[in-house]
């Protein structure tokens, strides 16, 4: 039995970030649990997301939570590999909306199309389409 990697993003606004990824990459929010659903949660955390599960880009899983401990590192880079160039270009363009293109999506000497963008939530996405 092997392990499965499940990216878990600490967010400042998990609902808005998940909604953006649904529009940008296609997908669906599977479930949302708030801190208020847990006994003894502080009132100021009641509407904050404790756990949000979603699928994007054909079924890849992503999890989210609002916040994290003070000083918690929020740096992450996610890579999506596509079979079609048009689909990869669309994802790159969608994720670039409000973000910062670090490397334009273009053919690379190593035999793939590649682009890198930091989305408006600070997540770096590497979009790949093998040649």
């Amino acid at each position: 039995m092997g392990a499965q990697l499940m990216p878990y993003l600490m967010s400042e606004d998990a609902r808005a970030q998940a909604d953006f990824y649904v529009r940008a990459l296609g997908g669906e929010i599977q479930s949302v649990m708030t801190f208020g659903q847990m006994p003894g949660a502080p009132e100021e955390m009641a509407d904050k997301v404790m756990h949000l599960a979603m699928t994007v880009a054909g079924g890849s899983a992503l999890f989210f939570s609002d916040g994290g401990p003070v000083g918690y590192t929020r740096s992450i880079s996610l890579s999506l590999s596509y079979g079609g160039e048009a689909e990869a270009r669309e994802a790159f363009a969608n994720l670039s909306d409000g973000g910062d293109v670090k490397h334009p999506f273009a053919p690379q000497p190593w035999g793939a199309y590649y682009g890198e963008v930091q989305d408006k939530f600070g997540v770096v996405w590497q979009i790949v389409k093998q040649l």
Side-chain angles (χ1 to χ4, degrees):
M1 182 185 302
Q4 185 176 8
L5 179 64
M6 307 295 279
Y8 209 112
L9 304 176
M10 297 298 144
S11 179
E12 292 184 20
D13 188 344
R15 287 183 180 98
Q17 193 168 355
D19 287 342
F20 175 74
Y21 294 151
V22 166
R23 289 189 309 277
L25 301 170
E28 182 179 6
I29 295 173
Q30 304 295 319
S31 65
V32 178
M33 177 180 261
T34 65
F35 285 99
Q37 291 174 274
M38 300 302 292
E43 185 61 34
E44 65 273 10
M45 294 295 290
D47 292 331
K48 298 283 188 183
V49 172
M50 185 178 86
H51 179 74
L52 183 148
M54 71 177 300
T55 57
V56 296
S60 298
L62 280 178
F63 297 127
F64 295 87
S65 181
D66 281 328
V70 174
Y72 199 82
T73 301
R74 287 192 172 103
S75 175
I76 190 167
S77 180
L78 299 174
S79 179
L80 282 174
S81 183
Y82 286 91
E85 182 182 344
E87 187 179 25
R89 284 189 183 281
E90 180 180 10
F92 186 83
N94 290 342
L95 290 168
S96 299
D97 184 19
D100 182 25
V101 172
K102 302 294 186 186
H103 187 28
F105 187 79
Q108 301 301 315
W110 62 82
Y113 280 88
Y114 174 85
E116 189 172 306
V117 60
Q118 184 173 19
D119 71 24
K120 64 184 179 181
F121 296 99
V123 175
V124 175
W125 292 86
Q126 299 171 358
I127 306 298
V128 179
K129 187 319 187 167
Q130 297 299 323
L131 293 178

